[in-house]
Amino acid sequence: MTEMTSPSDAIYRLNGVELGLPAGLANASIIEKLIDGTYEGDEARSVDRCVRPGFRVLELGAGLGYVGTLAALKTEPENVLSVEANPDLLPVIRANHARNGVADVSLMHGAVVGHAEDGATASFHIASGFTGSRLGAKGGRQVEVPLIGFHELIRAHRPHVVLMDVEGAEAGYFDRPWKCPLRFCVMEIHPKQYEATVIKKIIDAMSAMNMTYDPVTSRGKILGFRKVWSEGS
């Protein structure tokens, strides 16, 4: 469902969540998915599967704030940390959190990499329509963004659930075990940006952390893992 609220904004409703979208921010493909209800559909199903009351959630790549809102409604807003590199999306995300009553979700600006020195920044490519924006892409509009170390973020927030769509940056997150009480991890992988050996490294690292393939949350390039529960847990 779409509702025009001003000459420049529209409101879309998906799964009980209201998403405001400023004119010109998204491309036609995103708008079509918002209209037919398929926008971030796999990610929304992952939240329903993975997030439980009291769980801490780390979301890397917040988009319009839809998935973070769903997660906050299942746990508590203060348990959710969303990270977004695209500065154009930050006010949109905050507004969408607020309009859905989850303004206490923590929102951090920056691009998450395997390791980042204090104060480090990098050039970030802003794609037309905002999806596909990423580190390392050449040409087009470039903005300087803070870099955030993944393992430092994991240690600080200690998430039970990690949800990520970071356009290939995930390749740098699996060099050592994650220091957190991880229960579920769902990510979009990007095989066009790295070789099959990187996908194997991701799967091997998850296995070493006692995580196994989750067929419920996996679909196409969406790869889900869940904790291997011990008997009686």
Side-chain angles (χ1 to χ4, degrees):
M1 179 178 180
T2 309
E3 174 186 332
M4 301 304 296
T5 57
S6 77
S8 60
D9 291 347
I11 298 291
Y12 300 89
R13 292 183 173 84
L14 294 83
N15 291 321
V17 173
E18 293 190 354
L19 294 175
L21 178 67
L25 182 64
N27 59 30
S29 175
I30 296 170
I31 293 171
E32 182 178 348
K33 291 176 181 178
L34 287 164
I35 291 171
D36 66 21
T38 61
Y39 174 74
E40 295 191 339
D42 291 332
E43 292 84 351
R45 285 187 289 273
S46 296
V47 169
D48 189 58
R49 156 75 164 168
C50 301
V51 181
R52 302 173 185 176
F55 274 15
R56 290 182 298 277
V57 179
L58 175 61
E59 178 194 23
L60 306 183
L64 298 177
Y66 175 48
V67 173
T69 295
L70 289 173
L73 292 171
K74 289 208 69 175
T75 178
E76 297 291 338
E78 57 267 26
N79 287 337
V80 179
L81 172 59
S82 295
V83 185
E84 177 55 54
N86 186 341
D88 297 346
L89 294 177
L90 299 179
V92 180
I93 296 165
R94 290 192 182 98
N96 285 330
H97 286 166
R99 71 168 33 94
N100 290 284
V102 296
D104 287 338
V105 169
S106 297
L107 178 60
M108 182 180 294
H109 177 221
V112 180
V113 294
H115 174 73
E117 299 291 342
D118 288 346
T121 65
S123 185
F124 185 81
H125 170 73
I126 306 293
S128 174
F130 79 76
T131 58
S133 300
R134 63 185 179 92
L135 290 170
K138 304 298 183 182
R141 181 179 165 218
Q142 301 278 338
V143 297
E144 201 72 10
V145 302
L147 294 180
I148 301 168
F150 175 79
H151 293 287
E152 291 75 16
L153 195 61
I154 284 282
R155 286 197 297 270
H157 189 59
R158 303 192 72 249
H160 301 92
V161 179
V162 176
L163 308 169
M164 66 174 86
D165 182 3
V166 288
E167 301 300 328
E170 67 275 3
Y173 302 165
F174 297 90
D175 57 327
R176 59 184 185 272
W178 301 358
K179 301 296 185 182
C180 66
L182 188 66
R183 297 292 179 269
F184 294 95
C185 177
V186 182
M187 71 188 79
E188 180 172 339
I189 59 172
H190 298 82
K192 290 184 178 180
Q193 296 186 33
Y194 40 68
E195 296 180 353
T197 53
V198 174
I199 300 173
K200 182 180 185 302
K201 180 179 179 180
I202 291 171
I203 294 170
D204 289 349
M206 284 278 108
S207 181
M209 290 188 282
N210 205 29
M211 303 288 289
T212 190
Y213 175 80
D214 182 10
V216 177
T217 54
S218 297
R219 182 194 300 250
K221 292 190 296 181
I222 303 294
L223 191 56
F225 299 90
R226 65 172 177 84
K227 193 78 170 180
V228 178
W229 311 112
S230 61
E231 186 176 349
S233 65

